[in-house]
Amino acid sequence: MSATSVLISSVVEPLQHVADTRYRPWRSVLTVLSLDLGGLTLSFGASILTSTVLHGRFVPPSPLDCLIAVVIFLGIFAMADLYRTVGVAPVEELRRTVSAICGTFLLLVFITFLLKESVNYSRGMILLAWCWACIVIPSARLIGKPVLGKRSWFAKPVAILGAGETARKLIETLKRTPGLALRPVVAFDDDPAKYRTLVDVPVVGGLDAASS
């Protein structure tokens, strides 16, 4: 776990008591899922195109083959917790994504050995798609999530416990790293002298108010 993750887990609390109708967790998950499926489609498309150029013949996969690949892909990504869209550091997300991609394609290669007669594309094409996927899908996430994290419906509203220097640095880190998808909207501190705006986040009351 990174130092940023430790700091976040110790100071940030989910904002349960303040209604924020803009946040849409289901929409966030569907958007990231769309990025992944788009990357998977591009990877197989590039693989098929490359194979067509090299071998001079076009062999499209069947709908059943595509369905099998998508189900395996989504299942492994879900098991790797890659559709928890908030609070995951970019390096950790990259590690999980590449591991899940490798797991997906290893399983697809294994399936082609079992179903040689029914698979319309070669294991070489799958291996080529594997290489493309390791580039395209992580890139889509690393580029897309920081952009999406600036949207109120994507980033989860959180409360900051404390209004000192640590809280200031944390708020600045969250605003500087929108890919974490954590949006500080309010802070709490027991010191009335700190009831002010902290990096554009209002300090509204004592720590006991955070749990009320």
Side-chain angles (χ1 to χ4, degrees):
M1 182 179 292
S2 66
T4 300
S5 299
V6 173
L7 186 62
I8 290 172
S9 63
S10 62
V11 183
V12 173
E13 289 290 334
L15 195 59
Q16 304 292 343
H17 62 289
V18 176
D20 193 318
T21 57
R22 295 172 295 177
Y23 176 54
R24 295 286 186 273
W26 58 268
R27 185 178 175 186
S28 303
V29 171
L30 288 177
T31 302
V32 174
L33 188 147
S34 298
L35 285 176
D36 290 341
L37 289 180
L40 184 67
T41 302
L42 285 174
S43 299
F44 272 102
S47 172
I48 293 170
L49 178 60
T50 303
S51 179
T52 300
V53 171
L54 292 177
H55 299 101
R57 64 189 184 94
F58 175 64
V59 183
S62 71
L64 179 60
D65 296 334
C66 293
L67 179 61
I68 291 173
V70 168
V71 169
I72 292 173
F73 175 83
L74 293 180
I76 290 179
F77 267 54
M79 287 189 293
D81 200 21
L82 281 164
Y83 294 114
R84 177 166 60 89
T85 58
V86 301
V88 182
V91 173
E92 175 63 17
E93 182 169 14
L94 177 62
R95 184 190 66 79
R96 290 188 197 176
T97 302
V98 173
S99 296
I101 290 170
C102 291
T104 298
F105 281 91
L106 281 172
L107 187 54
L108 288 176
V109 169
F110 177 71
I111 288 174
T112 63
F113 277 103
L114 297 180
L115 306 174
K116 291 180 182 179
E117 300 297 328
S118 62
V119 176
N120 292 332
Y121 44 87
S122 68
R123 289 184 291 276
M125 290 174 64
I126 294 178
L127 292 174
L128 189 57
W130 184 350
C131 295
W132 278 109
C134 285
I135 298 171
V136 174
I137 296 173
S139 296
R141 280 176 165 258
L142 291 176
I143 294 172
K145 286 192 69 176
V147 174
L148 293 167
K150 297 177 182 179
R151 305 286 185 176
S152 58
W153 57 265
F154 189 88
K156 185 174 185 177
V158 294
I160 306 298
L161 303 184
E165 188 60 28
T166 299
R168 176 185 296 277
K169 290 180 179 179
L170 178 57
I171 293 172
E172 290 174 346
T173 297
L174 293 179
K175 290 191 173 187
R176 192 170 56 247
T177 318
L180 291 172
L182 294 171
R183 176 166 51 94
V185 296
V186 68
F188 297 94
D189 196 282
D190 288 331
D191 186 356
K194 295 179 180 178
Y195 291 178
R196 62 186 188 281
T197 299
L198 182 67
V199 197
D200 297 326
V201 174
V203 183
V204 297
L207 295 176
D208 56 341
S211 59
S212 61

